[in-house]
């Protein structure tokens, strides 16, 4: 799986990551005390905030922090049990940590802010004996979290994740994923070709129990980002490309380089293409808080292709992905229109 679309930020050095792991429980205690002091005053906002949306969001953020602290503590415990990390259940133990944390977060998010997930039809997670690669649209709050939860709860596969190195600032996530041999993509500054090379290296090591998630748009869709992309393409004189992007208002341009690297290095992997909608227009903290409790559910659709039905030639991958993105845009557009009419 791959989780990206985070702002560029230099990764913390190794010594600082160790410090973060050591102090994060105390940070959690500090913010918990702050919340206990602040919460009664926030209740006074009820005449203006009838749903107590801000209070709910702050509580959920605090809860997620404590889940992350739990990952740190559990990782320490697993290290004590297996100092060299050579336990026969090493991967399975860490997969269980991720699955439990995601289950807890999704359950709590549903209760606190109304974050619910529905699936259209039946999602198959690839054939036994084949790795799984998931290619997804990226839009709305917590979509990567929800996809990771769906994969962990239904597929039971070991995540081999490519994600932005800014995630190394998150002690719990970083500890678990590093132990599962994940790859943290360097920030763009000075990264050179390392971004696609890391994807290729990870793909070449996938086993038949693994899942890899990639967002080929590279960042979260938002109306202003879509409009800005069209404007930049026109300013560069790439009018045909700009027209193509403009014709698909619900997706950003899908970059095929990473997908092609995966197909070249893991040709035996089955491929799932994921579309989703429901919280698309919640593109910032303000809209998210105003929408709480969420009235729309996050609706997913996943179509899985056999490995032999997906091309491996880079040019053919680009054409295949472009056609798939037409389908994703059309599916989202149809559901958005349906919601507007209901």
């Amino acid at each position: 799986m791959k989780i990206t679309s985070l702002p560029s930020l230099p990764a913390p050095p190794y010594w600082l990551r160790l410090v973060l792991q050591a102090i994060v429980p105390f940070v959690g205690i500090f913010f918990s005390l702050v919340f206990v002091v602040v919460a009664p005053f926030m209740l006074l906002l009820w005449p203006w905030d009838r749903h107590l949306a801000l209070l709910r969001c702050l509580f959920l953020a605090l809860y997620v922090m404590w889940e992350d602290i739990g990952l740190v503590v559990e990782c320490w415990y697993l290290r004590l049990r297996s100092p060299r990390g050579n336990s026969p259940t090493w991967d399975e133990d860490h997969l269980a940590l991720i699955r439990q944390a995601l289950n807890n977060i999704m359950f709590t998010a549903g209760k606190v802010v109304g974050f619910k997930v529905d699936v259209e039809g039946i999602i198959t997670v690839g054939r036994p004996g084949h790795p799984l690669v998931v290619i997804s649209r990226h839009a709305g709050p917590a979509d990567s979290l929800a996809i990771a939860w769906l994969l962990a709860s239904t597929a039971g596969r070991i995540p081999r994740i490519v994600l932005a190195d800014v995630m190394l600032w998150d002690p719990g996530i970083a500890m678990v994923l590093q132990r599962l041999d994940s790859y943290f993509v360097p920030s763009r500054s000075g990264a050179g070709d390392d971004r696609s090379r890391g994807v290729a290296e990870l793909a070449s090591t996938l086993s038949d129990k693994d899942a890899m998630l990639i967002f080929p748009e590279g960042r979260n869709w938002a109306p202003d980002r879509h409009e800005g992309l069209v404007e930049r393409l026109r300013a560069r004189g790439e009018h045909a490309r700009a027209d193509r992007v403009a014709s698909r208002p619900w997706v950003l341009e899908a970059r095929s380089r990473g997908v092609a690297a995966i197909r070249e290095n893991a040709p035996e992997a089955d491929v799932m293409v994921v579309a989703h909608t429901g919280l698309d227009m919640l593109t910032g903290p303000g809209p998210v808080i105003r929408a709480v409790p969420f009235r729309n559910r996050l609706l997913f659709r996943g179509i899985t292709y056999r490995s032999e039905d997906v091309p491996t030639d880079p040019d053919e991958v680009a054409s295949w992905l472009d056609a798939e993105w037409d389908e994703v845009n059309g599916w989202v557009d149809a559901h958005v229109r349906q919601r507007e009419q209901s």
Side-chain angles (χ1 to χ4, degrees), residues 19 21 57 60 62-63 65 67-68 71 76 133 136 139 168 179 183 215 232-233 235 247 249 288 307 309 335:
V19 171
Q21 294 168 15
C57 290
L60 182 60
L62 184 65
Y63 178 84
M65 177 184 293
E67 282 290 340
D68 196 68
L71 289 176
W76 286 342
V133 172
S136 177
L168 289 169
R179 293 184 184 185
Y183 177 74
F215 298 95
R232 288 193 299 274
L233 291 173
S247 69
V288 169
S307 57
D309 295 331
H335 281 276

Side-chain angles (χ1 to χ4, degrees), residues 181-254:
D181 299 324
S182 298
Y183 177 74
F184 291 81
V185 181
S187 56
R188 288 189 179 275
S189 56
D193 293 331
D194 286 347
R195 300 173 70 86
S196 61
R197 184 162 61 246
V199 172
E201 290 174 355
L202 177 61
S204 67
T205 65
L206 291 178
S207 75
D208 59 4
K209 297 180 180 179
D210 295 340
M212 182 176 181
L213 168 63
I214 182 170
F215 298 95
E217 294 160 305
R219 54 181 179 165
N220 230 330
W221 173 92
D224 57 339
R225 284 181 176 170
H226 183 269
E227 294 172 4
L229 176 59
V230 173
E231 292 174 1
R232 288 193 299 274
L233 291 173
R234 295 199 191 284
R236 295 203 299 259
E238 300 182 55
H239 297 291
R241 188 177 165 195
D243 291 342
R244 183 67 170 159
V245 173
S247 69
R248 299 188 292 209
W250 294 105
V251 294
L252 299 178
E253 188 177 39

